[in-house]
Structure formats: C-alpha cells, structure tokens
Amino acid sequence: MATDKITPEEVEHVAGLAKLALTEADKEAFTHQLDKIFGLVDTLAEVDTTNVKPTYTVTDLTTVLRDDVAVPANETADLLANAPETQENLIKVPAILNAEEEN
C-alpha cells in the first residue's frame, strides 16, 4: 500500500504536461481529490482476489453488429461545407502546440 500523499507540486507538474493553467484553489482541490482517489485504489489493492474468476460482463447480452456495407467515402465537399474554416481541401484549426515550447 502506498503511503505517499499527492502533493500540489505533482498536481502542478501534471497540469503543466497537459497544458492546463490551475489556480491555487484548483491545485488544492485536485490535490485533495486525487489523494482520495489513490487512497481508494490502495484500499482495493488490499482485497484478496486469488480465487475470484474475472468478470468480463455481468449480462448474457451479445453485441449486435451491422452488416459491413461499402458506402461512398469521398464526400470531401460535404465535409468541408460543415467546417468553419478551410484551406486547400483541409479543415483549418488553431495551433495547439508552440514550436518554441519543449516539455
């Protein structure tokens, strides 16, 4: 069982990796929430499951799949008509990564 607690610095580090800006209140709240979540995982890890068979599904239902039918896939004009901004038959989106940032 892990006895380490989640620190605000660890929350801030993970938020930085995810490119999220957190306020001090956010850091405190997430630190508390994550600490509780990992505590629950530690509690579950204590349960002896040696003779318990895996449960893959709790019902006898099976997945019903549709027939695999070929359909026209080259609908570029229709797709681009729904996009807010296009450029050379592509959907133009804002950049999410800056080249000068390295993490």
Side-chain angles (χ1 to χ4, degrees), residues 4-17:
D4 298 339
K5 290 202 167 268
I6 302 298
T7 65
E9 291 78 22
E10 291 170 322
V11 171
E12 187 173 3
H13 175 72
V14 172
L17 293 174

Side-chain angles (χ1 to χ4, degrees), residues 36-55:
K36 286 178 72 173
I37 291 168
F38 286 124
L40 177 61
V41 171
D42 288 341
T43 301
L44 291 174
E46 295 173 3
V47 176
D48 180 18
T49 59
T50 308
N51 296 319
V52 178
K53 291 169 56 175
T55 303

Side-chain angles (χ1 to χ4, degrees), residues 34-78:
L34 287 171
D35 196 49
K36 286 178 72 173
I37 291 168
F38 286 124
L40 177 61
V41 171
D42 288 341
T43 301
L44 291 174
E46 295 173 3
V47 176
D48 180 18
T49 59
T50 308
N51 296 319
V52 178
K53 291 169 56 175
T55 303
Y56 300 106
T57 181
V58 294
T59 66
D60 293 329
L61 298 177
T62 58
T63 303
V64 179
L65 301 175
R66 65 171 171 78
D67 291 335
D68 189 13
V69 179
V71 295
N74 192 7
E75 305 293 332
T76 306
D78 293 338

